[in-house]
Amino acid sequence: MSQAALSAFPEPAPAPAVETVGLSCWYVPGRPVLRDIDLAVAPGSICMILGPSGSGKSTLLKVIKGLLPLNAGTLSLFGQPVAGRTHARSRRALERSVAWIPQHLGLVRSLTVLDNVLSGTLARVGTLASLVGAFPHTLRDEALATLDSLGIRAKADEKVFSLSGGERQRVAIARALMQHPTLVLADEFVSQLDPLTTREMLDIVQGIARTGVAFLITSHEVELVAEYGDRVVFIRDGRKIHEGAANAFTFASVMTLMGR
Ligand SMILES: Nc1ncnc2c1ncn2[C@@H]1O[C@H](COP(=O)(O)OP(=O)(O)OP(=O)(O)O)[C@@H](O)[C@H]1O
Ligand SMILES: [Mg+2]
């Protein structure tokens, strides 16, 4: 077939980093916290999840990470169905590709920055090596280079409890990057930072996303959505009531969605 004829067949679109169809979840039977959520997040994109407190944002991230089971619907990561017991093996295999940054970052405050960052490689080196502190030199070099790229190489040997909020956020990103993720789930990632540090962090996130890593970020910071997001999803009472391009999303959009 000629080159011209071949180019008539476009490349198939890559599978979404995350895709949910009809996802529902409840803590108490009969009282769903997430209802019928359809979602698709493209590789290399930043999807901001907004919604009032208690609407189900954290629950959605936890279900995607596999920390909570979904009770109905389907969940696929990188085109592979992973939810449900029959998919336990494919979930484990994909687990490495999904980094999780919880709301309070989940760093070990009494350990050094470097050790926290190296803990991101657990799936790569095994728990035993990490317990005896026997991380290969190549990983230590990689961790230091990652810290360098985030501007906190000088803090590598300091304990996390002595760091500022913005520095801890960088450590959490560095730990996530050491996992070599293709999807990062970040819960209220910038909620405790001043406006300048918030923008520094999201600039970093944007740079990482442009390398092909997808981000799902829950937030209450409406003004950041248009600036940093590619897509925005709005959840209310456990239902997705809006999804669209982030660049047109404003505070007025929220007021409309909230019926005010
Ligand atoms: N472990 C739990 N057991 C029972 N109900 C829970 C549990 N965790 C959360 N919920 C309920 O699920 C609902 C959604 O909670 P979730 O934490 O997902 O909300 P959110 O949108 O992240 O809120 P916020 O913006 O305050 O972080 C809330 O009504 C909450 O009370
Ligand atoms: Mg939450």
Side-chain angles (χ1 to χ4, degrees), residues 53-54 56-59 62 103 187-188 218 220:
S53 208
K57 304 181 296 296
S58 297
T59 303
K62 287 175 188 168
Q103 187 163 353
D187 199 1
E188 308 242 352
T218 67
H220 288 288

Side-chain angles (χ1 to χ4, degrees), residues 46-119:
I46 299 175
C47 176
M48 301 282 214
I49 302 185
L50 267 64
S53 208
S55 56
K57 304 181 296 296
S58 297
T59 303
L60 178 60
L61 292 197
K62 287 175 188 168
V63 172
I64 293 170
K65 179 59 188 165
L67 301 172
L68 287 173
L70 59 86
N71 299 102
T74 62
L75 165 64
S76 302
L77 296 175
F78 317 108
Q80 291 191 45
V82 291
R85 205 170 292 169
T86 52
H87 298 300
R89 195 178 302 163
S90 45
R91 170 171 277 288
R92 272 196 301 277
L94 292 167
E95 199 77 346
R96 275 191 200 189
S97 311
V98 183
W100 164 243
I101 304 180
Q103 187 163 353
H104 297 291
L105 304 181
L107 299 171
V108 183
R109 292 163 54 86
S110 58
L111 289 183
T112 64
V113 165
L114 183 59
D115 284 337
N116 270 279
V117 173
L118 282 167
S119 73

